[in-house]
Amino acid sequence: MLTESFIASTRSVERKAQATTAKDLGIHLHEFQPIPSLRSSFKKSSTQPNCLAVNTTHVFTAQADKSVIHVYSRGRGNQEAVVPFQEKITCLVLAGPYHGAGTLVLGTEGGRLILLELATGRQITTPQSHLQPVTCLAVDPTSNFLVSGSADSNIHLWSLPSLLSFSQPAHNDPSQPRQYSPLRTLSDHRAAITAVIFGHSASKANFAISAANDKTCLIWDYFTGTVLHTYLLSFNPLCLTLDPADRAAYAGYEDGSIQILDFYKQQSSLVHPHYDADYQSTPTQPPDSDRWSSSEIASSPVHCLQLNYDGTILLTSHENGKVHTWNIAKGKYNNQLADLTLPVTNLVMLPPTGFPVQNSAPVKLQNVVKPRYENSWGGAAVNNGTSAVPITHTYTVQFTSTIPLPDPPAGYSDFDEALTHPSFPQHMLDEGIAELESLAKPHTEHCAEIGTRKRAGSSALGHCRGVGVGEREVPEGGG
C-alpha cells in the first residue's frame, strides 16, 4: 500500500492563551494517505514562507528574522545542528537528488545567494545581485539552473554548475560571463516577486512560472528569457504550484481562495499554447468560475500550495494554522486535514513510499558538514583560480550498499584487473596467503627435526659430528 506524507512548518506568534507544548513544536511530519495522522514533530523552529527544505535524511529550516539555519535529522528524530551566517536568511531551496547529498541554496536579506555543499562544508557566497531581499528560490529538475526572485521585482537565472565550479573563466575573455553573475535577468514584473517554480520537464521545452504583487503571473522560456504568456489575476498571488503533468498552475490568494490557471482551456490549435504566437500576444484573465473559495477557510491567507502524487488533491496551508484539501476533479473544497494552531507557512509533499521497487541513492548523508568560513567567498584564495580541486576538499557520505564492480573487458590480465580494482581482488589475496603458508612450511619442519635431535642427548649428537679437514677416521682396534 502506498503511503503519502508531508512536512509542514509554522511561524511562532505571541498568544497568551497558547499552550506551551504547541508553541514549542515548529515542524510536523503528517501522514496524508491512507490514514491522515500526525507522525512526529520537531521543536524550536519558526519559519517564514519559502524557508523549508527536505531530503531523505534531513530537514532544513531558515529561522524567521534570524541569520541561522536549523538542521534536523529525520532518522534520529532530533535537532542535529545550528548553522550561523553573517546575514539574515529569507528563503532556501535544496538542489540535487532527494535521495543523497545535495547543495543547500540560501537567499539573504542583502540580496546575495549562499551555496552550502552539505557533504563537504564548502560555502560559496555571490556578490550582491538583488537590490532588495531575496524572496523565493527554485531549482529546475536537472539541477543545472537556479532562479531567484526578489522584492526588487527582478528574477535572476543562474547556472548551478558554474557557481559550484572550482575553475574560473579567464578575466580577459569578454565572451565568458563572470562566474558569480546571473546568466540573465527577467524583469517584466512591476512589484515584489512572491513565488517562482519550474516545470517538470528535463528538456529544453521546460518553462518557469513567476508570480508577483502586481497581480500578474508570467510563464517564461528561461533558456531565452522570453515571456510565453501573461495571466492577469484578481488579487495578489502569494504562492504557486504546478500540476504533475504541467497542464495547469494553481495560485493562492490573500483571501484564502484558489485560482486555477488552465493552460489548455483556450487552446484552438494543435500547437502547444505556450508556443502559439496568437496565444502569447494576448494576456489572459481567468474567469471567476476558475477561482475556488469556501466559507470554512474564513478569509485566511494561503501561504503554501502542494499537490499529491497523482495531482487529484490540492493541499493548502493558511495563516490560521489549518491545512485544507481541495478536490481537483470537482473543483471545490474538500475538508480540513489538520489544525496546527500556528500559522502554517510551508508545506512539502514527500515522495510516496510502498512501491515494489523503491529508488535509492548509492550514498546517504549521515551528518551535515558545517561550512568552512575560509571558503565563504568562492574559494579563490584556496585554489588560486586554477581548475584543480583543493586537497582539503573532503566528501563525507555513507554508502548504502556494496559498490557494484564493472565487468572487465576482454583481454584484461590479472595485473590490469588489480590496477583498476578499487581494492586487491579476492583471488589475488587468496593466492598470496597460500604462497606465504607454503614458504613457512619447510622452515617449521626443519625446526621440529632439530628439536628432536636435542632431546636425544649428547651421545646421539656425537655420532652426528663430521670429520675435520686433515683428519683421518681411525677404525676400532687401532692401526
Side-chain angles (χ1 to χ4, degrees):
M1 179 182 295
L2 294 183
T3 301
E4 289 187 273
S5 304
F6 65 88
I7 292 181
S9 66
T10 60
R11 184 185 71 247
S12 298
V13 295
E14 294 296 333
R15 291 182 184 176
K16 295 182 179 180
Q18 185 178 338
T20 304
T21 56
K23 183 178 179 180
D24 291 340
L25 300 178
I27 302 173
H28 306 268
L29 173 59
H30 204 286
E31 183 176 316
F32 173 51
Q33 291 185 121
I35 303 175
S37 59
L38 182 64
R39 293 303 182 187
S40 62
S41 299
F42 296 102
K43 296 182 178 180
K44 299 179 181 180
S45 180
S46 176
T47 60
Q48 295 287 359
N50 303 320
C51 290
L52 172 68
V54 181
N55 66 4
T56 187
T57 57
H58 291 84
V59 177
F60 308 90
T61 59
Q63 299 305 296
D65 302 323
K66 295 182 180 180
S67 56
V68 297
I69 296 293
H70 285 188
V71 181
Y72 300 89
S73 172
R74 294 179 59 184
R76 294 185 290 269
N78 60 1
Q79 182 175 335
E80 179 179 305
V82 176
V83 184
F85 294 92
Q86 297 179 353
E87 294 185 67
K88 290 182 179 179
I89 307 301
T90 54
C91 56
L92 58 81
V93 70
L94 191 61
Y98 175 76
H99 303 278
T103 301
L104 192 65
V105 185
L106 315 173
T108 70
E109 189 179 40
R112 296 180 175 86
L113 299 184
I114 300 175
L115 288 82
L116 175 61
E117 292 183 349
L118 300 176
T120 66
R122 181 182 176 220
Q123 177 181 316
I124 299 170
T125 304
T126 67
Q128 183 180 11
S129 56
H130 290 284
L131 301 179
Q132 296 186 37
V134 182
T135 56
C136 51
L137 297 165
V139 177
D140 80 318
T142 65
S143 294
N144 287 324
F145 295 99
L146 166 74
V147 289
S148 59
S150 171
D152 62 4
S153 76
N154 289 327
I155 299 173
H156 291 330
L157 177 70
W158 306 79
S159 169
L160 273 174
S162 176
L163 292 175
L164 296 174
S165 175
F166 284 98
S167 62
Q168 298 181 5
H171 295 285
N172 56 358
D173 189 355
S175 63
Q176 296 185 4
R178 296 178 58 187
Q179 183 175 7
Y180 304 113
S181 298
L183 296 177
R184 61 178 52 88
T185 300
L186 314 177
S187 56
D188 283 48
H189 284 290
R190 295 295 179 265
I193 308 299
T194 57
V196 59
I197 55 176
F198 278 101
H200 298 90
S201 174
S203 67
K204 289 188 176 181
N206 199 22
F207 58 89
I209 307 177
S210 61
N213 282 334
D214 56 3
K215 298 182 181 180
T216 62
C217 183
L218 304 181
I219 301 178
W220 302 86
D221 180 355
Y222 58 91
F223 291 99
T224 62
T226 305
V227 178
L228 300 178
H229 195 66
T230 302
Y231 286 94
L232 306 177
L233 307 179
S234 303
F235 300 94
N236 287 327
L238 301 181
C239 49
L240 290 172
T241 193
L242 192 62
D243 178 82
D246 294 346
R247 299 168 298 183
Y250 302 88
Y253 287 153
E254 296 176 346
D255 64 347
S257 60
I258 307 299
Q259 180 71 64
I260 178 173
L261 308 176
D262 191 344
F263 300 152
Y264 294 90
K265 189 170 186 178
Q266 299 180 355
Q267 184 178 10
S268 58
S269 65
L270 297 179
V271 181
H272 192 284
H274 293 168
Y275 299 95
D276 189 343
D278 296 335
Y279 186 70
Q280 289 180 358
S281 59
T282 306
T284 299
Q285 185 170 6
D288 292 338
S289 59
D290 288 345
R291 180 166 161 259
W292 307 337
S293 61
S294 173
S295 58
E296 300 288 338
I297 298 178
S299 300
S300 180
V302 182
H303 285 308
C304 190
L305 301 169
Q306 287 286 293
L307 283 164
N308 70 331
Y309 179 69
D310 57 6
T312 58
I313 299 178
L314 177 69
L315 281 70
T316 60
S317 63
H318 296 262
E319 177 70 22
N320 59 8
K322 294 179 172 57
V323 179
H324 298 277
T325 62
W326 304 73
N327 191 306
I328 299 296
K330 297 180 180 179
K332 64 178 184 179
Y333 175 78
N334 193 9
N335 59 8
Q336 177 181 312
L337 183 62
D339 186 357
L340 304 180
T341 69
L342 295 173
V344 184
T345 53
N346 296 276
L347 280 180
V348 175
M349 288 295 298
L350 304 180
T353 59
F355 289 105
V357 179
Q358 198 76 25
N359 294 329
S360 61
V363 296
K364 180 176 67 174
L365 183 66
Q366 190 71 12
N367 294 290
V368 173
V369 181
K370 289 189 176 181
R372 301 194 304 269
Y373 295 101
E374 65 271 18
N375 295 346
S376 60
W377 287 97
V382 177
N383 56 32
N384 298 320
T386 65
S387 60
V389 178
I391 58 174
T392 58
H393 189 72
T394 305
Y395 190 75
T396 307
V397 293
Q398 178 183 358
F399 290 105
T400 58
S401 61
T402 304
I403 303 176
L405 301 178
D407 295 331
Y412 249 40
S413 63
D414 291 342
F415 176 78
D416 294 330
E417 183 181 357
L419 186 63
T420 58
H421 202 280
S423 62
F424 287 105
Q426 186 62 37
H427 73 276
M428 295 191 70
L429 292 175
D430 296 339
E431 291 176 359
I433 293 174
E435 186 176 354
L436 291 175
E437 290 179 348
S438 64
L439 292 175
K441 186 175 181 180
H443 176 71
T444 304
E445 294 176 350
H446 178 67
C447 292
E449 183 179 354
I450 292 176
T452 303
R453 290 178 178 180
K454 286 183 178 181
R455 287 191 298 270
S458 58
S459 60
L461 291 175
H463 289 289
C464 294
R465 286 201 302 265
V467 180
V469 178
E471 294 183 0
R472 178 172 59 89
E473 184 178 354
V474 181
E476 292 184 4

